[in-house]
Amino acid sequence: MDHLKNMRSLITRPRIAMLASAAIAYLATASICLALLLALAGYAAAGGWRFLRVAALTAPRDARGLVVLLRTRWMLRQMIARRRGIAQLFGATAAANSHRVCFLYEDQSWTFRQVDEYSNRVANLLMESGHRPGQVVAILAESRPQFACLWLGAAKAGVVSALINFNLRAQSLLHCLHAADATSLIFGAELASAVLEVAPSLPAGLRLYCLGGGNGGLSNAADLDANLLRASTLQPAYPVKQGPNAKDRLFYIYTSGTTGMPKAAVISHLRFAMMSNTIGLFFGLGLGDILYDCLPLYHTAGGILGIGQAFLRGVTVVIKRKFSASAFWDDCARYQCTAAQYIGEICRYLLAQPAKQSDRRHRVRVMFGNGLRPQIWREFQQRFGVDKMGEFYGATESNCNMVNIDNTVGAVGFLSQIAPSVYPLRLVRVDPDTGEPLRNPRDQLCVPAGPGEPGELIGSVVPGDAIRGIDGYVCKQATEKKMLRNVLRHGDCYFSTGDVLVMDELGYMYFRDRTGDTFRWKGENVEACLSNVLSLADCAVYGVEVPGNEGRAGMAAVADPEGRGVEVARLAQHLPRLLPAYARPLFLRIVRHIEATGTFKMKKTELRKDGFDPDRCCGDPLYYLCCRSGQYLALDGPAFAAIARGEIRF
C-alpha cells in the first residue's frame, strides 16, 4: 500500500506535461536542446513553475549545504575506518599547531602543546588510579581551560565524562551523579559548598577530586592539582589494544526532560565531530580565527560547538568564566576575536547596554548561536557591525540539526525543497492541547504540515548511520519515549523533538513554540517540582510571553480544589534548593481544577492564552516572583501594567 502511495506521488500533472512535451519536440525535431526547453516550458505551464522558481532561488544555498554534508560524511567515515576518536583528532591538530594558542583565559594563554600535556597528565592519573575504559568521571566546575582538558584527558584514557551544570544543587545534583553511574567526581573549589551539602548522600565509593587546590573542606577529597603535577606529560597508550571506536561515548551532557530532573544525553565521538565540524565549515572558521566563547562549557553550544573549533580546526578560543554584557565587546577587541557565540538573551542584553565606542571597535565578522529574535536581528547587526548571524537549531540528544547559512532573518535553518530526501527532517501537525502528533484516521499515519503551517520537527532515524543515527539518553527508556513510529509509512521511525516550527515555501524554518510540559527561559528547558513541595496532585507548568523578553517564561497553575489556599511562601522558600534561579516559575496561578484530556494529559492551551493577565484569569489569585526579595508577590492590575512597561523586570 505504501509503495502504491509513493508511485502516485511521483505521477503529477507537471511531470506528465514535461515528458509529453519532450517526447513531441524530440520526435518532431530530433533536437535534444529544443526537447529540454519545451519540457521545461510544459512543466512550468502545467503548474510546475512554482517548483522551478523555488529551485532557482535556493539552488546555491542547497549546493553549499550539500558540499558541507558530503565533507562531514567523509570525515565521519574516516573516523570509523581508522578508529579515531576526538583525542586522536585533537592530537593531529596539536602536532600541526603545537606553539599556536589554543585557549585564552583572563590573562592566561594556553598553547596546543600545553593543552596536550595537561590532558596527558589527566589521562595518566586516571589510569594509574584504577579508572577503566567505559567508567564515568563527573565534572562539576565553572568554565576555564582545565574543564575542556579534563574531559579530553579522560577520553585519552577511554573514560567517559559527565559534564554537570554547575547551577544544580541538592537532589538535582545527586540525580546527575546517579544517572551517569559516576565512579569519580572532579569539582571546582568554587563549588565545594554544593558538594558539601550533598556529601552524606553521595554514591558509595565515589572518589572525589578538588580542582583549584586543597580538598574544598571535604576530608576524603584529593587535591587534583597536586596529583596532576606528579603525573606524566607523555601521551599514554590507549587502554584498548585495537584503539578507540568512533561510535563510543565521549561524554554526557544533561538536559531537562518532562520529569523535571535532568537527563544524561549521550555525546559520541562521532556526534561531537559532526556538530563542531559542520559549524566550522559553514562559517569558514579555521587557523587565524579567534572565537569568543562566553557560554558555559557543560552545555552543547559552549562545550561542543565552541571548544570543538579549537580541538578539530585549530581555532583559538577565548573562554570566559561567566558572561558579562558590559565586557563583551571590550573582550572581543582585547583578544582580537573574529567570531563569537551567543544565545538569544545575550543579544538582547548587549542591545540593552548603553552605546559606547567599543561597540564597533572589534573584528568580529560572524556570530553563531540560537534564540536570536527576528525583531532585533537587523538592529543588532547594524549597531555592532557583525556581517553574519549564524542562527541554528539543534537538540543535544537528537539527529535534528539545521543551520541558517545565508543570514535570512528569523530562520533557524533550512530544508532543501529540491531534494528533501537528502536530509530527511519533516514537520508533522500536532494537537494544540496534548502536543501529540495528529494521525490520519484512515491509515493512522502522521499528517505532514505544509508551508506556513506549524508542525513538530521530527528526524528520520537510520540505525548505524553516522548522521541519521541516534545516541539518545543514557536511559534507554527515556530514548524510546522520544521515538515516533509509523509516521509517514508503516514501519518507519522518527525522533520527536517536541519543538514546533514553521517552514516557508523556500524551505526556511522558523521556531514557533515547544510542545509538551517543559518551558524555555533564558536558553534552558525546565519543569518545576511544585507538586513535591506543596503535596498537590495537579500542577501544570507552561510558557508565557513576557514583554521585552525572548522566548517564554515559566508559569505554574496550581490546583486548590478545596479552596484552602496555597502556601506560596513555602514554595518560595524551598524552590531555591531544588532549582537554579533561571528555572523557577516566574508566575503562579491558583485554580480550582485543571482540565485533562481523555488520556489524562493536562490541557494547557487556554492557560497559555490567559498568561498572567488578571483580566483574563477569571479572578484566580496570581503571583509573580520578585527577583529582589525572592518571594512571590500578589499580581494585580497595577503590577501587570508595571511588568508590561518594563518597570518590574526579571
Side-chain angles (χ1 to χ4, degrees):
M1 198 66 162
D2 290 336
H3 295 297
L4 289 175
K5 287 184 178 179
N6 292 335
M7 289 185 66
R8 291 194 194 103
S9 66
L10 294 175
I11 303 173
T12 62
R13 285 181 56 192
R15 288 172 180 168
I16 293 174
M18 178 177 66
L19 294 174
S21 299
I24 293 171
Y26 185 74
L27 291 174
T29 65
S31 171
I32 296 178
C33 292
L34 183 58
L36 290 175
L37 288 174
L38 288 177
L40 288 175
Y43 183 82
W49 64 269
R50 291 183 179 85
F51 175 79
L52 293 178
R53 172 180 172 273
V54 169
L57 292 174
T58 62
R61 178 200 69 185
D62 291 4
R64 185 178 169 197
L66 179 61
V67 169
V68 170
L69 179 63
L70 293 176
R71 290 180 63 179
T72 300
R73 277 199 174 278
W74 171 257
M75 179 196 68
L76 299 180
R77 287 178 180 175
Q78 292 299 302
M79 287 178 65
I80 296 172
R82 299 181 181 181
R83 298 190 67 88
R84 304 180 76 192
I86 296 303
Q88 289 67 42
L89 295 181
F90 168 79
T93 304
N97 305 279
S98 60
H99 297 294
R100 294 179 61 89
V101 176
C102 180
F103 294 138
L104 291 170
Y105 175 73
E106 297 178 349
D107 294 325
Q108 301 175 24
S109 178
W110 289 57
T111 65
F112 280 91
R113 180 177 179 179
Q114 288 173 312
V115 171
D116 192 32
E117 291 180 347
Y118 188 100
S119 59
N120 286 343
R121 289 181 187 271
V122 173
N124 286 313
L125 174 62
L126 291 177
M127 294 169 71
E128 291 166 5
S129 57
H131 291 78
R132 301 187 305 276
Q135 287 188 325
V136 179
V137 172
I139 303 174
L140 176 70
E142 293 182 353
S143 298
R144 49 174 166 265
Q146 291 92 331
F147 189 98
C149 296
L150 287 171
W151 67 251
L152 177 63
K156 291 182 177 182
V159 174
V160 180
S161 298
L163 312 185
I164 299 180
N165 180 338
F166 56 69
N167 293 290
L168 298 181
R169 298 291 185 272
Q171 291 302 314
S172 295
L173 176 55
L174 288 171
H175 170 81
C176 289
L177 295 173
H178 285 288
D181 194 20
T183 58
S184 297
L185 169 63
I186 299 174
F187 64 92
E190 72 280 2
L191 297 171
S193 60
V195 181
L196 274 167
E197 183 184 359
V198 298
S201 304
L202 289 174
L206 184 73
R207 285 178 281 190
L208 300 177
Y209 298 88
C210 181
L211 172 66
N215 62 7
L218 289 97
S219 58
N220 59 335
D223 185 335
L224 180 65
D225 296 358
N227 279 275
L228 288 178
L229 286 176
R230 293 190 290 267
S232 172
T233 61
L234 297 179
Q235 175 78 33
Y238 194 75
V240 180
K241 183 179 294 185
Q242 62 267 37
N245 185 335
K247 296 182 180 180
D248 285 345
R249 297 176 175 184
L250 175 62
F251 52 62
Y252 303 146
I253 285 182
Y254 291 85
T255 179
S256 297
T258 58
T259 62
M261 283 293 184
K263 289 182 284 190
V266 177
I267 302 297
S268 66
H269 293 262
L270 282 177
R271 183 156 178 77
F272 183 99
M274 185 271 291
M275 295 174 71
S276 56
N277 199 57
T278 298
I279 287 291
L281 288 172
F282 272 131
F283 300 122
L285 300 176
L287 297 178
D289 277 311
I290 302 175
L291 173 66
Y292 188 70
D293 184 354
C294 58
L295 308 181
L297 299 187
Y298 63 75
H299 196 267
T300 303
I304 297 179
L305 303 183
I307 297 301
Q309 305 313 313
F311 285 1
L312 302 188
R313 304 185 64 80
V315 173
T316 297
V317 174
V318 178
I319 296 176
K320 287 286 290 184
R321 185 180 289 264
K322 291 183 178 179
F323 164 72
S324 169
S326 60
F328 189 95
W329 294 114
D330 291 331
D331 282 344
C332 286
R334 171 189 174 190
Y335 295 113
Q336 301 184 44
C337 297
T338 58
Q341 293 182 259
Y342 70 88
I343 58 172
E345 284 298 314
I346 283 181
C347 294
R348 187 175 65 84
Y349 294 155
L350 293 176
L351 273 176
Q353 289 291 303
K356 52 184 179 180
Q357 291 182 343
S358 59
D359 284 354
R360 280 178 166 265
R361 195 175 293 170
H362 59 80
R363 300 170 54 206
V364 175
R365 72 173 191 277
V366 59
M367 291 181 66
F368 60 90
N370 54 12
L372 175 58
R373 287 188 294 159
Q375 295 86 345
I376 66 171
W377 191 305
R378 290 300 187 209
E379 180 185 357
F380 186 90
Q381 286 189 285
Q382 291 169 4
R383 173 174 168 181
F384 299 114
V386 179
D387 292 336
K388 177 177 287 187
M389 304 302 294
E391 180 79 1
F392 64 79
Y393 173 90
T396 301
E397 70 280 16
S398 83
N399 61 353
C400 301
N401 304 284
M402 297 179 292
V403 185
N404 178 347
I405 63 176
D406 55 11
N407 212 39
T408 298
V409 173
V412 299
F414 69 94
L415 295 180
S416 173
Q417 299 303 288
I418 301 174
S421 61
V422 172
Y423 196 61
L425 303 187
R426 298 290 183 268
L427 293 180
V428 293
R429 295 172 58 190
V430 294
D431 185 295
D433 283 323
T434 66
E436 296 292 329
L438 295 174
R439 292 186 178 270
N440 191 317
R442 290 177 298 176
D443 54 20
Q444 290 302 304
L445 296 178
C446 292
V447 181
E453 186 177 17
E456 181 186 355
L457 180 67
I458 59 175
S460 175
V461 177
V462 181
D465 186 89
I467 292 179
R468 305 310 315 151
I470 286 291
D471 293 326
Y473 301 107
V474 172
C475 175
K476 292 183 179 179
Q477 292 85 353
T479 302
E480 182 57 33
K481 288 181 180 179
K482 300 291 287 185
M483 297 296 113
L484 280 178
R485 303 187 187 280
N486 303 319
V487 178
L488 300 181
R489 65 174 184 273
H490 293 286
D492 64 5
C493 178
Y494 280 75
F495 184 91
S496 169
T497 65
D499 287 329
V500 175
L501 286 79
V502 176
M503 182 178 69
D504 67 16
E505 64 173 347
L506 299 182
Y508 288 105
M509 305 285 280
Y510 301 86
F511 184 85
R512 172 64 63 86
D513 208 341
R514 179 156 180 81
T515 65
D517 297 330
T518 61
F519 64 88
R520 178 165 298 181
W521 178 245
K522 296 188 178 181
E524 298 287 343
N525 292 333
V526 296
E527 178 172 330
C529 311
L530 304 181
S531 293
N532 292 334
V533 176
L534 300 175
S535 301
L536 294 169
D538 292 335
C539 173
V541 180
Y542 47 97
V544 295
E545 294 182 349
V546 180
N549 290 275
E550 180 268 336
R552 294 176 182 266
M555 183 167 182
V558 180
D560 182 22
E562 304 299 327
R564 297 177 179 176
V566 174
E567 296 180 274
V568 176
R570 174 181 170 83
L571 191 64
Q573 177 186 355
H574 288 278
L575 280 185
R577 293 192 302 103
L578 303 173
L579 293 171
Y582 58 71
R584 300 164 204 158
L586 293 186
F587 303 99
L588 299 178
R589 178 179 179 179
I590 312 303
V591 299
R592 282 302 179 96
H593 70 281
I594 301 173
E595 293 185 19
T597 66
T599 55
F600 305 101
K601 293 188 177 181
M602 296 179 185
K603 292 184 177 181
K604 301 180 182 180
T605 303
E606 292 304 318
L607 293 172
R608 291 193 190 98
K609 289 180 180 179
D610 292 344
F612 55 94
D613 185 348
D615 292 337
R616 295 182 58 94
C617 292
C618 307
D620 292 336
L622 297 173
Y623 300 87
Y624 72 93
L625 181 61
C626 176
C627 295
R628 292 183 178 179
S629 66
Q631 300 298 312
Y632 283 102
L633 305 181
L635 199 167
D636 52 15
F640 176 80
I643 293 172
R645 292 193 301 267
E647 295 173 2
I648 296 178
R649 299 183 180 181
F650 303 98

